[in-house]
């Protein structure tokens, strides 16, 4: 099982980036994106079921970020629009074999069994 993240970079505030995470080895019940800024704990960003249609976002990214999966290429994505300097962080994709539904579980990093390596996103002001 492998999750391979890519797509990070440097962008000006107000710009957009699309993160990708190539998934291989199995199918999953749910996947997510987390991020970790320097000196801070890893935090939940967004999650969706493998089938789609059950997206959930942290409040700070609602209306700006979109989580989705390319079914053909089996690639997970996080489309990030209207980026702000406070979005600067290392972003991680994660997945679990179970399709959890309770919000309390969805936002915990311990819920997810598989993790990709991080990809750096830097938003300049």
């Amino acid at each position: 099982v492998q999750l391979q993240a890519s797509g990070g970079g440097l962008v000006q505030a107000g710009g957009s980036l699309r993160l990708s995470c190539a998934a291989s080895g199995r199918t999953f019940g749910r996947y997510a994106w987390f991020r970790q800024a320097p000196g801070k704990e890893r935090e939940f960003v967004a999650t969706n079921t493998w089938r789609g249609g059950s997206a959930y976002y942290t409040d700070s990214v609602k209306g700006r970020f979109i989580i989705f999966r390319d079914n053909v290429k089996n690639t997970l994505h996080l489309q990030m629009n209207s980026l702000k300097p406070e979005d600067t962080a290392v972003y991680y994709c994660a997945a679990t074999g179970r399709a959890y539904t309770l919000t309390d579980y969805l936002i915990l990093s311990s819920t997810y069994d598989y993790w990709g390596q991080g990809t750096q996103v830097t938003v300049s002001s």
Side-chain angles (χ1 to χ4, degrees):
V1 177
Q2 189 172 23
L3 299 175
Q4 187 79 24
S6 62
L10 173 64
V11 64
Q12 287 188 331
S16 298
L17 277 176
R18 178 177 291 187
L19 303 184
S20 300
C21 180
S24 62
R26 62 165 292 173
T27 57
F28 301 93
R30 179 171 284 278
Y31 62 100
W33 289 90
F34 285 75
R35 65 187 180 187
Q36 187 166 18
K40 295 187 177 181
E41 294 186 354
R42 188 172 299 187
E43 67 168 353
F44 167 80
V45 176
T47 183
N48 204 349
T49 55
W50 198 249
R51 288 184 172 182
S54 185
Y56 179 77
Y57 301 89
T58 192
D59 286 346
S60 63
V61 308
K62 283 181 182 176
R64 301 190 297 123
F65 290 11
I66 302 171
I67 185 172
F68 65 99
R69 182 173 73 94
D70 181 327
N71 295 338
V72 175
K73 297 182 179 179
N74 210 29
T75 302
L76 320 176
H77 294 288
L78 184 68
Q79 177 66 41
M80 305 186 295
N81 302 319
S82 301
L83 282 162
K84 304 176 181 180
E86 51 264 43
D87 294 318
T88 295
V90 177
Y91 283 71
Y92 299 88
C93 56
T96 174
R98 298 187 178 185
Y100 293 104
T101 56
L102 292 178
T103 303
D104 288 351
Y105 288 128
L106 302 185
I107 64 175
L108 297 177
S109 58
S110 58
T111 296
Y112 302 89
D113 305 305
Y114 306 97
W115 290 82
Q117 88 290 4
T119 185
Q120 176 70 47
V121 172
T122 303
V123 184
S124 62
S125 57

